[in-house]
């Protein structure tokens, strides 16, 4: 009897390669998200430090030029925080989209695996039936020779 051959093997292989690509894509997204979160945290720390320095200098007395400098720097840090927060949100959306793609791909793989199992069951049934037929033919041949 011929050996078992899954009829949708090429599609299954493609789905497996897509799964690997999606894993790599998700890993890169996570790396970008972690970098953005780290940058966001550092910018928040910088802003807090600057505000503490401003409060300290204001207690000691500060000139208007230095106060303007602090104000502009804090404004730039706040703008930077807004930009980083938007970047984080976009990456989060991209991560969700990739997660959905992974789920769909997993469903497709599970479907192929079920079809493969069903085809293999049918193959085994046919093999057993063919073997029974061969045994029956052999027995008939042996009986007819005697």
């Amino acid at each position: 009897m011929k050996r078992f051959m899954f009829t949708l093997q090429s599609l299954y292989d493609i789905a497996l390669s897509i799964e690997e690509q999606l894993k790599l894509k998700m890993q890169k997204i996570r790396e970008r998200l972690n970098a953005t979160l780290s940058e966001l945290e550092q910018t928040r720390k910088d802003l807090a430090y600057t505000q503490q320095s401003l409060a300290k200098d204001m207690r000691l007395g500060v000139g208007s030029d230095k106060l303007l400098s602090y104000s502009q720097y804090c404004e730039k840090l706040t703008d930077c925080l807004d930009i980083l927060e938007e970047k984080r949100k976009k990456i989060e959306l991209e991560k969700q989209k990739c997660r959905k793609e992974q789920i769909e791909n997993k469903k497709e793989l599970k479907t192929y695996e079920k079809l493969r199992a069903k085809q293999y069951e049918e193959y085994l049934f046919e093999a057993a039936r063919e073997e029974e037929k061969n045994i029956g033919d052999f027995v008939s041949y042996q009986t007819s020779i005697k």
Side-chain angles (χ1 to χ4, degrees):
M1 175 152 190
K2 62 182 180 175
R3 63 182 257 253
F4 174 72
M5 186 75 157
F6 180 48
T7 56
L8 300 174
Q9 186 64 44
S10 59
L11 294 176
Y12 181 73
D13 292 341
I14 289 170
L16 283 175
S17 70
I18 289 171
E19 180 183 39
E20 288 301 314
Q21 290 172 359
L22 289 173
K23 283 180 183 178
L24 291 173
K25 182 179 178 182
M26 182 60 84
Q27 182 181 1
K28 289 179 182 180
I29 290 171
R30 284 185 180 136
E31 288 171 359
R32 285 185 13 238
L33 182 60
N34 288 338
T36 302
L37 290 173
S38 176
E39 191 175 352
L40 197 57
E41 185 62 31
Q42 185 59 45
T43 305
R44 284 184 181 133
K45 286 179 182 177
D46 290 347
L47 181 61
Y49 177 76
T50 302
Q51 289 171 338
Q52 287 175 352
S53 296
L54 173 62
K56 179 183 172 189
D57 284 352
M58 285 179 73
R59 281 191 300 269
L60 298 174
V62 64
S64 62
D65 56 333
K66 196 165 186 180
L67 188 61
L68 181 63
S69 252
Y70 271 123
S71 174
Q72 288 174 344
Y73 185 62
C74 286
E75 189 176 316
K76 286 186 182 197
L77 286 176
T78 305
D79 290 343
C80 187
L81 282 173
D82 292 340
I83 291 168
L84 287 171
E85 192 60 38
E86 282 298 315
K87 185 178 177 181
R88 184 197 61 79
K89 286 178 185 177
K90 285 180 184 177
I91 294 172
E92 286 287 345
L93 287 174
E94 191 177 340
K95 183 179 175 184
Q96 289 176 357
K97 182 181 173 189
C98 187
R99 175 67 63 205
K100 285 179 184 177
E101 289 174 2
Q102 284 181 320
I103 290 169
E104 289 301 315
N105 184 262
K106 269 291 190 209
K107 287 179 185 176
E108 187 177 342
L109 281 171
K110 292 282 185 195
T111 302
Y112 288 136
E113 288 168 1
K114 287 179 183 178
L115 287 171
R116 181 187 184 106
K118 185 176 180 182
Q119 279 186 8
Y120 188 67
E121 248 181 61
E122 290 171 2
Y123 166 79
L124 291 177
F125 179 76
E126 282 298 316
R129 205 168 88 190
E130 189 174 311
E131 188 174 323
E132 283 180 25
K133 181 182 176 251
N134 289 339
I135 290 171
D137 289 347
F138 181 72
V139 170
S140 295
Y141 176 73
Q142 291 294 332
T143 307
S144 67
I145 292 179
K146 290 181 182 177

